[in-house]
Amino acid sequence: MKTKVLLFVCLFTGIAVLFPSCSEKNALVPDLNQNDEMNILKSKKIPTQFSGICTPIDNMGYDIISWYDTTDDPRVTGVSYWVFTGIEPIDEVTIELTGTTEIFVGAVTVDDVVNGRYTGKWEMTWKGYQTYTSPESITFKIVAHGTGAGTEGEVLGLTARWKYTMDFDGTPESGAIYYSKGKITETVSKDF
C-alpha cells in the first residue's frame, strides 16, 4: 500500500512540475504560443495524386538539362532543371543515377525561369537506375524516384514524391520522354 501511495505522489509531483513548463513563456517550440502548438497538433496531411510527361527542352551544359514537366496538376507543371550528381556503373547493363532537380512552376521556357516568370519552385533529390536490354543494346529503361519540397511561391511548404519512367526502344518515336506520376502532400488544419 505504501508503495502505491509513494508511486501516486511521485506521479502527481511529476505532472505538477510538467505543467508550469508548458506556459506560453516556455512553449514546446520556441517563438510559438500554445494556441499555435494546438493547431499543429490538429492538422492532417492531404495527398493529391498526379501524372504527366516530361520532355527535353535544352541541354544547358555538361551536367544540366532542362525539361518541361506537363502534368494534370498545375502545382507540378513547369520547366525543370536536372543536374546529375552521380553516375555509377552497377554491372554490365545497369547504371545508378543520382541528382537534384528544380521545377519552376508555371514557367514554359528557360527564358521564363531566367526572368522570374514562374509562380512556385520545387527542390527535389532523386535516385534511379538505367538498365540496358543487353551490354551491346541501345535500348534501355530508366526508373527514378524523387522526393522534394516546395521552396517558393504557391508550393511553399508542400512536399511531393515523383516516379519518372523512360522506355527507350531505339526508335525516334520513343524519344527521350519520361512518364511521371506522384503525390503532393499538404498539411491542413483540422476543425474540431
Side-chain angles (χ1 to χ4, degrees):
M1 181 71 172
K2 287 183 181 183
T3 305
K4 288 183 182 179
V5 171
L6 183 60
L7 181 62
F8 177 76
V9 169
C10 289
L11 179 63
F12 183 76
T13 304
I15 291 172
V17 169
L18 179 65
F19 275 113
S21 68
C22 289
S23 68
E24 271 192 46
K25 292 181 181 176
N26 191 9
L28 296 174
V29 178
D31 300 326
L32 194 66
N33 69 36
Q34 291 288 11
N35 292 333
D36 290 337
E37 288 176 14
M38 291 307 294
N39 286 337
I40 290 171
L41 296 175
K42 294 178 185 176
S43 64
K44 66 178 181 174
K45 295 184 178 185
I46 306 291
T48 304
Q49 306 290 325
F50 64 86
S51 62
I53 61 170
C54 184
T55 53
I57 298 175
D58 186 22
N59 185 348
M60 301 175 65
Y62 177 70
D63 287 336
I64 302 175
I65 303 170
S66 60
W67 296 74
Y68 186 72
D69 288 48
T70 304
T71 72
D72 53 10
D73 191 318
R75 297 175 296 173
V76 285
T77 296
V79 172
S80 57
Y81 290 169
W82 291 71
V83 178
F84 287 94
T85 58
I87 301 173
E88 197 67 41
I90 301 297
D91 55 36
E92 291 181 343
V93 295
T94 306
I95 301 169
E96 181 182 88
L97 309 167
T98 56
T100 61
T101 299
E102 295 175 304
I103 300 175
F104 297 90
V105 178
V108 178
T109 66
V110 171
D111 189 53
D112 288 342
V113 175
V114 171
N115 291 302
R117 292 188 300 259
Y118 56 90
T119 59
K121 179 181 170 186
W122 292 95
E123 293 184 8
M124 176 198 326
T125 58
W126 54 268
K127 179 178 183 178
Y129 295 92
Q130 180 171 348
T131 306
Y132 289 89
T133 309
S134 70
E136 304 83 32
S137 176
I138 62 166
T139 63
F140 60 83
K141 181 174 186 166
I142 298 175
V143 178
H145 295 271
T147 58
T151 59
E152 292 181 25
E154 68 182 43
V155 297
L156 181 65
L158 301 179
T159 59
R161 294 184 175 278
W162 288 263
K163 178 181 180 183
Y164 289 91
T165 305
M166 177 190 289
D167 282 310
F168 183 71
D169 66 9
T171 65
E173 295 82 34
S174 68
I177 296 174
Y178 283 99
Y179 293 91
S180 65
K181 63 181 180 177
K183 175 175 67 172
I184 300 170
T185 303
E186 58 187 307
T187 302
V188 296
S189 296
K190 293 189 331 188
D191 294 326
F192 288 97

